[in-house]
Structure formats: C-alpha cells, structure tokens
DNA sequence: GTAATAGTGTCTTTGAGACACTATCCC
DNA sequence: GGGATAGTGTCTCAAAGACACTATTAC
C-alpha cells in the first residue's frame, strides 16, 4: 500500500457508501430414490420467517477468506461434507428481491453423493425432489435461483460427465444413464450413452455386480477426473 | 410483504451487518488493427490513484434497477454504446483485493465493434492490446480479472460464433478467421473454418468485395443471431 | 508470368444416432 | 421356456482435419 492510500484509508468509512446487502445462496443437489433432489431449510428468522429457502447467508468478514470459503462453510454446516463439487453459477442483484432493499446474492450449486452426508441433519432442513421444491412457496426469489442452477446443471450435462459426482461409490451404467436422463428430461439411446462414457475413460470397472431386474449389471466407480472431463461432442436436446 | 416482515423492517438497519464493499468491473474488448484490445481508465481518486484500472464502480442503489443495469450504465459512460454484447463472468470476493477491506466485484465482459463508439472518449481512458495491458501495473487484482474474462472469451470462441460481435459492419471471412485465431492463439485450417461458419447460417453474403493483397475477397455481414449460435462441435485447443 | 491472397474438392477420421441383435438370470 | 434387464454389432450420417488443388488480380 502506498502513502497516499494509507492517508485515504484513515478517513475512510464503509458507511460513506450505499452498498447492497450481499449474500451467498446455494442449490445443493443429490439423488434420492433415483430423483434429483434439492436441500431446503426453513427460515428461522424474519424476514420471510417460516418460508422454505435455499441454504445460504451472509459472508463472515472475519472467518471467510474469500467468497468460495463462505460457500464451503455453508455447505459444511448443512451437510457435513467437505469437498463436494461446487461451482459458482451467477450473481443476481436488484432492488426487489429482498424487502430490506437492494440486495445481491452470489449463487452456487453443489453436487453431492447423499451417502457421504455426515451426522446430524439439522431438524429444519429437508430434501425435496426438484419439481416439488419449485411448487413450494419459497422465500425471496429462490425459485428463480433454483431454476438457474438447474439450467446450469442441465447445460453442463450435455457436454460433461458432471452427474457422476452425484453417484454413490459403486453404480451401474444404467443407473448413471437414468440420472443423465432425469437431469436432461430426455431419453438417451443406450448404445451411444455407453460408448460415450466408456470411451471417456473416467470410470473404473469393478469385478462386482448388482442384480437389477433379472440380470446382473456390472458396477463401476468414478476415477475422480469427471469434474474436468469434457466429451468431444455436445448432446442436442 | 407480510405483517411480521413489516415489523421486522421497522427495526432494521443495514449497518447492523458487516457486508463487503461491492462493485462491478468490466473488461471491454474491441479489435483495433487486427489485435484484441481492452479499455482501461486511469483512476482519478484514491485508492490506487493514477493506476490503470478496468472501467467499473459501485452500484447506484437509486438509479440501477439491477446489477445488469449497473454494467450497462458503466459501459455507456465509457463508450456511448447502448447494446453491446454483455455477459457476466464471475464474482470475485476476498479480504485482500482492496485495501478498504473485504470486497466483492461482479465481473462482466463486453464485446464491441469499435466503429460504433460514439462521441468523446474521456481523456483518461485508453485502449491497450491485451498483452500490453497485462504487462502494466494495474490497480487492485484487475490483471486477474482481465485474465478471467479473456479465458471466458477464449472458451466460448471454441464453440460459439461470439467473435462476430467484434467485427465491423462488413468483413471478409479471412478477417473473421484472423480474429478467431488471435483469440484462440492458434491457427485454424481455412477449409474447416469456412465450412463451419458458412454452415452456421449466421452471416449474409453481400455483393461487395474488398481488395486484400492481390485478389478481391467477398464481404459478409452478421445476421445478428450469432449471440445465440452454438456450433455443433467444439474445437479442440 | 509471378506473387499473393481467396477459395474449393475430396478423402479420412471420429463419435453420435438408429436399430436389430445377443446374453444372463430369475421364475 | 418366458420375461426382464444388460449389453453388443454394425450401418449411417454429420462435421472436423488434412492437404492438394484452382481462381483472381496487381504488378
């Protein structure tokens, strides 16, 4: 910091500026009973007390080094998971989204494998299938936020293997395909899907199998590189 | 607003919360002499007075309906352009990026056609080729912000026709290809490039031509749908 | 004609889509 | 054997890459 800046800082107060209320909100996705679910919490305080809302809140200017830390902290508080797939979606800010006035939120989405959720889920949080969640009377503009996150997930599912992050330790290709199909809301041709995934080299085959219907299906596990993997071609909706 | 919220609001003050200083910053791209340039302004006030910085600033809680409005306002102030291509890149927030304390910026990038710039460019703003810009001693973390915007533009150039937004009214396919190549920092095979662009149906051929070297090259103009256009396949770097 | 740039023809390769086919296992 | 699910063989098609080729015009 130079001298001039030091001098400036002595006379500076953040209250000299009109700044918006700033928060972080999170859409946490998991697969439950083969369906895409999101985690919602009931608001314990005004405003919008009692309404269902996305996990989120304010940045802790002392604890949080950066905005990503805020997101991870919120996620850990709600799920006990430390290294989920986390991605910033967009920031939404306007006059009307919060009764307290001009407000800005940085929206994230996370993909978690529900088997990994540790310990106590707080009593006031609940998983809802995304369709049901969108039918609730949600706090603030959280319906729109969920839709934005869902769209991002859907778009990325067209050209990445991201949905693998939602799967349990071991899973069959048919199970994975079903998740892709739920996210995309579209049936995929089985042959292409298997070729696409298998050529990607992002899954380890195991010698285990699972009885599904009448025949055993081979179980696979993720190599963990799916977070980065881009398929050579994009699917078309 | 319900009764409970009304009551809550009566006792509410934004100063009860510790919130970060929040701003908007913009990387404005244009082609000048066949090179990708960015617009920088010299900071007129502390902090970091005298340093080159990205156009940007605080949200005007009175004037700006939403965060996009802030971005458009800043862009108009600097360039006089009302409907550029504008896209939100990411929000960056941490303890250290601004000496005033925890600060968050919403980063945008804009693509403009320099022929459209109206009226007075303010004396303290200047265009710099992106390479040179990155070598300057820039204010705050603006070097990183430029790199993030450049990466976003590069990625999108692999699968969209976005660079068309940078072109003047009329241009040749070779000129367009050169811009693609500058952004991607990679030569593209001429035949594939022309096929890709022409099959996309996003350009109108004109009966005009331009002498370039020894032979005339046909001039094209944008149909304006390039903002949305996704090529069927992604290029590979 | 030569140099320089614009623009084409056409073969190969890759991966998606269609669709009929086979394999395994429980009952 | 029947039913249900897993999984394959193989043809077609679209678009990218390679690369040799032709076209136009100033000089």
């Amino acid at each position: 910091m130079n001298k001039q800046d030091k001098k400036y800082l002595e006379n500076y107060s953040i209250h000299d500026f009109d700044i918006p209320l700033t928060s972080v909100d999170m859409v946490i996705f998991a697969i439950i009973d083969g369906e895409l679910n999101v985690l919602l919490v009931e608001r314990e305080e005004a405003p919008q007390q009692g309404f269902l809302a996305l996990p989120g809140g304010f940045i802790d200017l002392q604890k949080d080094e950066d905005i990503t830390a805020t997101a991870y902290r919120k996620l850990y508080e709600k799920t006990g998971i430390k290294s989920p797939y986390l991605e910033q979606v967009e920031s939404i800010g306007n006059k009307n989204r919060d009764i307290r006035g001009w407000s800005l939120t940085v929206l994230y989405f996370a993909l978690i494998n529900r088997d990994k959720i540790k310990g106590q889920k707080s009593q006031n949080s609940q998983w809802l299938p995304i369709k049901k969640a969108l039918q609730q009377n949600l706090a603030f503009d959280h319906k729109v936020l969920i839709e934005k996150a869902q769209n991002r997930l859907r778009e990325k599912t067209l050209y990445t293997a991201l949905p693998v992050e939602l799967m349990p330790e071991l899973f069959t290709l048919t199970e994975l395909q079903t998740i892709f199909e739920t996210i995309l809301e579209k049936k995929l041709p089985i042959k292409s899907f298997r070729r696409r995934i298998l050529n990607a080299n992002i899954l380890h085959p195991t010698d285990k199998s699972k009885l599904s219907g009448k025949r055993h299906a081979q179980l696979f596990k993720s190599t963990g590189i799916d977070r980065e993997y881009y398929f050579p071609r994009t699917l078309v909706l």
Side-chain angles (χ1 to χ4, degrees), chain A residues 171-190:
Chain A
F171 53 89
T172 71
L173 291 184
T174 305
E175 286 166 348
L176 183 60
Q177 179 170 353
T178 306
I179 297 311
F180 270 73
E181 291 174 343
T182 337
I183 294 171
L184 297 175
E185 297 174 321
K186 182 186 188 240
K187 279 274 170 199
L188 298 174
I190 172 175

Side-chain angles (χ1 to χ4, degrees), chain A residues 8-226:
Chain A
Y8 164 83
L9 211 55
E10 283 165 11
N11 299 299
Y12 165 83
S13 158
I14 195 171
H15 299 318
D16 296 347
F17 295 90
D18 269 352
I19 51 177
L21 195 58
T22 303
S23 60
V24 167
D25 283 305
M26 243 192 319
V27 180
I28 307 173
F29 290 110
I31 299 297
I32 300 175
D33 298 332
E35 267 194 295
L36 194 61
N37 276 241
V38 298
L39 188 67
L40 295 177
V41 296
E42 199 180 298
R43 284 189 60 81
E44 291 179 326
E45 296 171 0
Q48 304 272 69
Q49 187 176 10
F51 282 77
L52 282 175
L54 292 172
F58 299 113
I59 300 163
D60 185 322
L61 301 196
Q62 265 64 53
K63 277 198 242 168
D64 300 335
E65 271 298 310
D66 58 29
I67 188 91
T68 318
T70 312
Y72 276 111
R73 182 168 54 79
K74 292 286 166 194
L75 200 101
Y76 183 72
E77 286 169 11
K78 295 297 168 198
T79 66
I81 291 183
K82 289 215 162 153
S83 57
Y85 178 81
L86 187 66
E87 173 175 329
Q88 192 185 299
V89 178
E90 192 186 331
S91 297
I92 296 96
N94 61 53
K95 272 185 173 162
N96 309 311
R97 54 185 304 279
D98 191 313
I99 56 156
R100 286 167 287 192
W102 228 107
S103 133
L104 176 83
T105 194
V106 184
L107 177 66
Y108 283 82
F109 84 88
L111 302 181
I112 67 172
N113 162 359
R114 196 158 166 263
D115 295 355
K116 287 200 186 138
I117 296 185
K118 303 259 166 55
Q120 78 313 327
K121 58 169 188 187
S122 60
Q123 302 93 328
N124 67 342
S125 77
Q126 56 184 288
W127 289 97
L128 278 182
I130 187 159
K131 275 195 181 164
K132 275 202 183 159
L134 290 171
Q135 285 162 9
Q136 307 294 310
N137 211 342
L138 298 177
F140 309 113
D141 56 355
H142 287 192
K143 179 163 185 272
V144 176
L145 302 191
I146 294 175
E147 284 165 348
K148 280 181 192 282
Q150 186 185 17
N151 279 335
R152 172 67 65 88
L153 175 60
R154 188 160 25 216
E155 271 165 33
K156 286 205 124 179
T157 300
L158 291 171
Y159 58 93
T160 73
L162 223 48
V164 173
E165 296 288 331
L166 292 162
M167 304 306 284
E169 183 75 18
L170 295 174
F171 53 89
T172 71
L173 291 184
T174 305
E175 286 166 348
L176 183 60
Q177 179 170 353
T178 306
I179 297 311
F180 270 73
E181 291 174 343
T182 337
I183 294 171
L184 297 175
E185 297 174 321
K186 182 186 188 240
K187 279 274 170 199
L188 298 174
I190 172 175
K191 178 65 184 184
S192 307
F193 182 80
R194 301 175 75 89
R195 214 174 20 205
R196 193 168 156 96
I197 295 288
L198 261 15
N199 285 344
N201 256 309
I202 52 172
L203 300 185
H204 274 316
T206 71
D207 51 8
K208 295 184 191 120
S209 68
K210 178 180 182 176
L211 192 62
S212 125
K214 309 287 173 166
R215 181 175 166 179
H216 288 275
Q218 189 175 13
L219 286 165
F220 290 80
K221 63 180 178 189
S222 162
T223 56
I225 55 176
D226 38 281

